[in-house]
PDB file of all heavy atoms in Angstrom:
ATOM      1  N   LYS P 327     -47.996 -36.311  -1.755  1.00 95.00           N
ATOM      2  CA  LYS P 327     -47.426 -34.995  -1.460  1.00 95.00           C
ATOM      3  C   LYS P 327     -45.911 -35.073  -1.297  1.00 95.00           C
ATOM      4  O   LYS P 327     -45.171 -34.227  -1.811  1.00 95.00           O
ATOM      5  CB  LYS P 327     -48.065 -34.415  -0.196  1.00 95.00           C
ATOM      6  CG  LYS P 327     -49.527 -34.022  -0.364  1.00 95.00           C
ATOM      7  CD  LYS P 327     -50.087 -33.468   0.938  1.00 95.00           C
ATOM      8  CE  LYS P 327     -51.554 -33.056   0.783  1.00 95.00           C
ATOM      9  NZ  LYS P 327     -52.117 -32.536   2.059  1.00 95.00           N
ATOM     10  N   SER P 328     -45.451 -36.082  -0.564  1.00 95.00           N
ATOM     11  CA  SER P 328     -44.015 -36.231  -0.345  1.00 95.00           C
ATOM     12  C   SER P 328     -43.297 -36.511  -1.665  1.00 95.00           C
ATOM     13  O   SER P 328     -42.197 -35.995  -1.920  1.00 95.00           O
ATOM     14  CB  SER P 328     -43.757 -37.363   0.645  1.00 95.00           C
ATOM     15  OG  SER P 328     -42.413 -37.439   1.025  1.00 95.00           O
ATOM     16  N   LEU P 329     -43.935 -37.321  -2.526  1.00 95.00           N
ATOM     17  CA  LEU P 329     -43.335 -37.634  -3.816  1.00 95.00           C
ATOM     18  C   LEU P 329     -43.311 -36.406  -4.733  1.00 95.00           C
ATOM     19  O   LEU P 329     -42.351 -36.195  -5.483  1.00 95.00           O
ATOM     20  CB  LEU P 329     -44.093 -38.776  -4.478  1.00 95.00           C
ATOM     21  CG  LEU P 329     -43.474 -39.347  -5.760  1.00 95.00           C
ATOM     22  CD1 LEU P 329     -42.053 -39.821  -5.514  1.00 95.00           C
ATOM     23  CD2 LEU P 329     -44.329 -40.493  -6.289  1.00 95.00           C
ATOM     24  N   ASP P 330     -44.360 -35.581  -4.678  1.00 94.00           N
ATOM     25  CA  ASP P 330     -44.382 -34.350  -5.475  1.00 94.00           C
ATOM     26  C   ASP P 330     -43.213 -33.440  -5.100  1.00 94.00           C
ATOM     27  O   ASP P 330     -42.595 -32.811  -5.973  1.00 94.00           O
ATOM     28  CB  ASP P 330     -45.706 -33.613  -5.277  1.00 94.00           C
ATOM     29  CG  ASP P 330     -46.869 -34.298  -5.983  1.00 94.00           C
ATOM     30  OD1 ASP P 330     -46.609 -35.103  -6.894  1.00 94.00           O
ATOM     31  OD2 ASP P 330     -48.028 -34.037  -5.603  1.00 94.00           O
ATOM     32  N   GLU P 331     -42.908 -33.392  -3.812  1.00 95.00           N
ATOM     33  CA  GLU P 331     -41.774 -32.587  -3.363  1.00 95.00           C
ATOM     34  C   GLU P 331     -40.456 -33.169  -3.885  1.00 95.00           C
ATOM     35  O   GLU P 331     -39.553 -32.436  -4.289  1.00 95.00           O
ATOM     36  CB  GLU P 331     -41.753 -32.518  -1.836  1.00 95.00           C
ATOM     37  CG  GLU P 331     -42.938 -31.759  -1.248  1.00 95.00           C
ATOM     38  CD  GLU P 331     -42.975 -31.839   0.268  1.00 95.00           C
ATOM     39  OE1 GLU P 331     -42.064 -32.486   0.841  1.00 95.00           O
ATOM     40  OE2 GLU P 331     -43.901 -31.279   0.880  1.00 95.00           O
ATOM     41  N   LEU P 332     -40.359 -34.503  -3.876  1.00 95.00           N
ATOM     42  CA  LEU P 332     -39.144 -35.159  -4.361  1.00 95.00           C
ATOM     43  C   LEU P 332     -38.944 -34.911  -5.852  1.00 95.00           C
ATOM     44  O   LEU P 332     -37.813 -34.723  -6.324  1.00 95.00           O
ATOM     45  CB  LEU P 332     -39.219 -36.666  -4.088  1.00 95.00           C
ATOM     46  CG  LEU P 332     -38.064 -37.515  -4.625  1.00 95.00           C
ATOM     47  CD1 LEU P 332     -36.748 -37.122  -3.953  1.00 95.00           C
ATOM     48  CD2 LEU P 332     -38.342 -39.009  -4.395  1.00 95.00           C
ATOM     49  N   LYS P 333     -40.031 -34.865  -6.607  1.00 93.00           N
ATOM     50  CA  LYS P 333     -39.937 -34.711  -8.061  1.00 93.00           C
ATOM     51  C   LYS P 333     -39.460 -33.326  -8.491  1.00 93.00           C
ATOM     52  O   LYS P 333     -39.214 -33.103  -9.682  1.00 93.00           O
ATOM     53  CB  LYS P 333     -41.295 -35.020  -8.703  1.00 93.00           C
ATOM     54  CG  LYS P 333     -41.630 -36.505  -8.749  1.00 93.00           C
ATOM     55  CD  LYS P 333     -42.919 -36.742  -9.514  1.00 93.00           C
ATOM     56  CE  LYS P 333     -43.209 -38.219  -9.673  1.00 93.00           C
ATOM     57  NZ  LYS P 333     -44.443 -38.447 -10.461  1.00 93.00           N
ATOM     58  N   LYS P 334     -39.325 -32.414  -7.551  1.00 93.00           N
ATOM     59  CA  LYS P 334     -38.736 -31.122  -7.891  1.00 93.00           C
ATOM     60  C   LYS P 334     -37.276 -31.299  -8.315  1.00 93.00           C
ATOM     61  O   LYS P 334     -36.728 -30.459  -9.023  1.00 93.00           O
ATOM     62  CB  LYS P 334     -38.832 -30.179  -6.691  1.00 93.00           C
ATOM     63  CG  LYS P 334     -40.275 -29.776  -6.362  1.00 93.00           C
ATOM     64  CD  LYS P 334     -40.326 -28.884  -5.122  1.00 93.00           C
ATOM     65  CE  LYS P 334     -41.768 -28.507  -4.799  1.00 93.00           C
ATOM     66  NZ  LYS P 334     -41.867 -27.671  -3.575  1.00 93.00           N
ATOM     67  N   ASP P 335     -36.698 -32.406  -7.856  1.00 92.00           N
ATOM     68  CA  ASP P 335     -35.382 -32.812  -8.340  1.00 92.00           C
ATOM     69  C   ASP P 335     -35.612 -33.618  -9.620  1.00 92.00           C
ATOM     70  O   ASP P 335     -36.279 -34.657  -9.602  1.00 92.00           O
ATOM     71  CB  ASP P 335     -34.671 -33.665  -7.288  1.00 92.00           C
ATOM     72  CG  ASP P 335     -33.265 -34.073  -7.691  1.00 92.00           C
ATOM     73  OD1 ASP P 335     -32.956 -34.061  -8.901  1.00 92.00           O
ATOM     74  OD2 ASP P 335     -32.475 -34.416  -6.796  1.00 92.00           O
ATOM     75  N   THR P 336     -35.093 -33.162 -10.738  1.00 91.00           N
ATOM     76  CA  THR P 336     -35.356 -33.803 -12.034  1.00 91.00           C
ATOM     77  C   THR P 336     -34.908 -35.262 -12.087  1.00 91.00           C
ATOM     78  O   THR P 336     -35.374 -36.037 -12.924  1.00 91.00           O
ATOM     79  CB  THR P 336     -34.662 -33.026 -13.161  1.00 91.00           C
ATOM     80  OG1 THR P 336     -33.249 -32.937 -12.870  1.00 91.00           O
ATOM     81  CG2 THR P 336     -35.241 -31.612 -13.276  1.00 91.00           C
ATOM     82  N   THR P 337     -34.018 -35.655 -11.178  1.00 91.00           N
ATOM     83  CA  THR P 337     -33.545 -37.043 -11.150  1.00 91.00           C
ATOM     84  C   THR P 337     -34.680 -38.021 -10.909  1.00 91.00           C
ATOM     85  O   THR P 337     -34.640 -39.168 -11.370  1.00 91.00           O
ATOM     86  CB  THR P 337     -32.478 -37.216 -10.050  1.00 91.00           C
ATOM     87  OG1 THR P 337     -31.443 -36.263 -10.235  1.00 91.00           O
ATOM     88  CG2 THR P 337     -31.894 -38.621 -10.066  1.00 91.00           C
TER      89      THR P 337
END
Side-chain angles (χ1 to χ4, degrees):
K327 291 179 179 179
S328 188
L329 188 57
D330 287 341
E331 294 174 0
L332 176 63
K333 285 185 175 182
K334 292 178 181 178
D335 183 339
T336 56
T337 306

